[in-house]
Amino acid sequence: MRWWPIRRALAFALCAALAVPAAKAGPDYPPVLPGTVMRFPADGGAHPDFRTEWWYVTGWITDERGVERGFQVTFFRVRTGIGEDNPSRFAPRQLVLAHAAIADPAVGRLLHAERSERALDPLAGAATGATRVWIRDWQLEWAQDHYRSRVDAGSFAFDLRFDPSGPPVLNGDKGFSQKAGDAKHASHYYSRPQLAVSGSLRVDGATVPVKGRAWLDHEWSSELLPDGARGWDWIGINLHDGGSLMAFRMRDERGGSMWSSGTLRTAAGETRALRPAQVAFTPQRRWRSPRTGAEYAVEWDIDIDGRRLQLRPLLDDQELDSRRSTGAVYWEGAVRLFEAGREIGRGYLEMTGYAERLRM
């Protein structure tokens, strides 16, 4: 679940648009409406009329020596509202931004990189009709029956294939995912949990084969952050029994929950939407970033409809500073999920709005 600040993205677009006339008025972003039917593979592609959109893949991978690491690759599309009446293909009507990261315990912190470009084929873009989003040689693409992502960030690189184990999981009410009491604050949102990962990873100058499990989220929306919200906490967990758990809460200025929701899928493929009263996040151990001073709860107790679970990180320092692209500092990291002392799943935890309130 991601609702991103676009301050830096818009600054980038404004610089690019100095030589072209601005649009006469702001764009008419379409609302997210309940009852919208998702269709695949078409809805795996971009929805360029909406304000923001993102494709987000995270997972755990293991190399041939048994070394475990986490990885992340995220692509964002932003409709800027700039140059919409300008016929030039160089007008920055759409931006594409990307983050990539490796969580490596041997390094002790995230290795990460970011990119941002106006949508301009063949340099960068987000295709409609099926998943294909790219910035230069960074890409995520759907190819017949699987996804593939390639990233070369200099200090690390990966080329990974993701094979689905089942159909997309529609979050909320058949893909209508509410983020606040007012239903206008919502996104179209589906997940692809339990993706089988295969491919290669380059770290420390060596390229090694890897395999593992991953999770893909795809959301698009037109609304801004709800009034009074500072950020959110989100998890996407591949359960060891073959099921999956997504849960999030919107957080106010005092750290309290404004809204929460989730989706629990069983190993048999049965999906259950979780209401706000069925999802509770309670922070436990905290870690303070030596770079930004932000304090994050890196261990959590999570209650899912009376089921008490515990979340523990692969490593504490998984803070990602993306102020050169999306403008946000956030914690995005590989975690393990436990129940009664037994590990029952692995996935990712995202925490935003701790360094500063998200301005969107």
Side-chain angles (χ1 to χ4, degrees):
M1 194 213 88
R2 291 165 172 266
W3 280 21
W4 283 99
I6 58 175
R7 177 182 54 191
R8 293 297 178 92
L10 288 175
F12 177 88
L14 284 167
C15 291
L18 288 177
V20 298
K24 294 180 181 178
D28 184 15
Y29 298 114
V32 172
L33 299 175
T36 300
V37 178
M38 288 191 179
R39 304 185 189 281
F40 298 95
D43 276 321
H47 302 79
D49 289 344
F50 288 79
R51 186 193 299 265
T52 54
E53 187 165 17
W54 46 92
W55 297 258
Y56 164 64
V57 187
T58 58
W60 285 65
I61 49 177
T62 305
D63 67 20
E64 56 192 352
R65 297 179 299 149
V67 177
E68 295 178 322
R69 300 176 178 91
F71 78 91
Q72 172 203 353
V73 58
T74 309
F75 285 90
F76 311 89
R77 179 203 55 77
V78 179
R79 183 183 174 190
T80 67
I82 298 170
E84 298 216 347
D85 293 336
N86 192 311
S88 171
R89 66 187 295 263
F90 296 99
R93 292 177 286 271
Q94 301 275 343
L95 296 181
V96 183
L97 310 99
H99 297 168
I102 296 293
D104 190 341
V107 177
R109 58 177 175 80
L110 281 189
L111 301 171
H112 63 86
E114 56 191 310
R115 287 185 175 181
S116 56
E117 298 282 357
R118 80 185 83 187
L120 182 63
D121 193 30
L123 179 65
T128 59
T131 303
R132 180 173 176 258
V133 58
W134 73 98
I135 300 180
R136 288 172 275 162
D137 59 335
W138 290 22
Q139 66 175 358
L140 174 67
E141 183 174 11
W142 173 258
Q144 295 183 336
D145 61 354
H146 66 275
Y147 299 93
R148 188 171 181 182
S149 182
R150 299 182 183 91
V151 166
D152 190 335
S155 61
F156 66 91
F158 51 78
D159 183 347
L160 300 175
R161 170 174 169 151
F162 311 108
D163 285 277
S165 62
V169 175
L170 307 184
N171 296 305
D173 181 8
K174 299 178 182 178
F176 176 82
S177 176
Q178 198 165 327
K179 312 299 186 188
D182 187 340
K184 78 173 185 178
H185 293 288
S187 69
H188 293 303
Y189 180 17
Y190 70 86
S191 302
R192 302 298 301 262
Q194 296 290 0
L195 296 169
V197 184
S198 59
S200 62
L201 168 71
R202 191 190 75 227
V203 288
D204 295 328
T207 300
V208 295
V210 293
K211 59 183 180 179
R213 286 279 158 182
W215 178 295
L216 180 145
D217 268 359
H218 183 194
E219 288 190 75
W220 56 101
S221 180
S222 290
E223 282 298 323
L224 302 177
L225 204 66
D227 290 342
R230 182 180 176 90
W232 61 81
D233 307 304
W234 170 96
I235 57 170
I237 305 292
N238 286 318
L239 300 175
H240 293 332
D241 66 2
S244 62
L245 170 65
M246 183 282 294
F248 69 87
R249 68 165 186 161
M250 301 298 296
R251 200 177 63 255
D252 63 22
E253 291 285 353
R254 296 185 177 182
S257 294
M258 297 176 58
W259 184 264
S260 57
S261 184
T263 306
L264 180 63
R265 191 192 71 167
T266 69
E270 298 173 353
T271 301
R272 181 161 63 99
L274 300 169
R275 301 185 303 276
Q278 296 175 300
V279 177
F281 285 71
T282 305
Q284 298 298 318
R285 185 173 64 85
R286 299 178 183 270
W287 170 82
R288 184 177 296 277
S289 167
R291 294 174 298 279
T292 66
E295 187 177 86
Y296 304 92
V298 294
E299 296 186 1
W300 292 81
D301 286 349
I302 298 176
D303 190 297
I304 301 296
D305 196 21
R307 188 177 176 184
R308 297 182 178 181
L309 310 173
Q310 298 78 44
L311 209 61
R312 304 291 181 263
L314 176 63
L315 62 153
D316 287 357
D317 191 349
Q318 298 186 76
E319 183 184 55
L320 200 157
D321 185 344
S322 69
R323 283 177 287 189
R324 291 184 300 161
S325 56
T326 60
V329 176
Y330 62 104
W331 196 101
E332 184 86 50
V335 292
R336 294 180 169 93
L337 186 67
F338 293 85
E339 183 175 28
R342 179 175 63 91
E343 183 180 301
I344 63 168
R346 294 183 179 186
Y348 258 64
L349 162 69
E350 178 181 82
M351 299 179 282
T352 72
Y354 286 88
E356 62 178 2
R357 184 184 184 276
L358 294 185
R359 293 176 172 83
M360 301 175 62

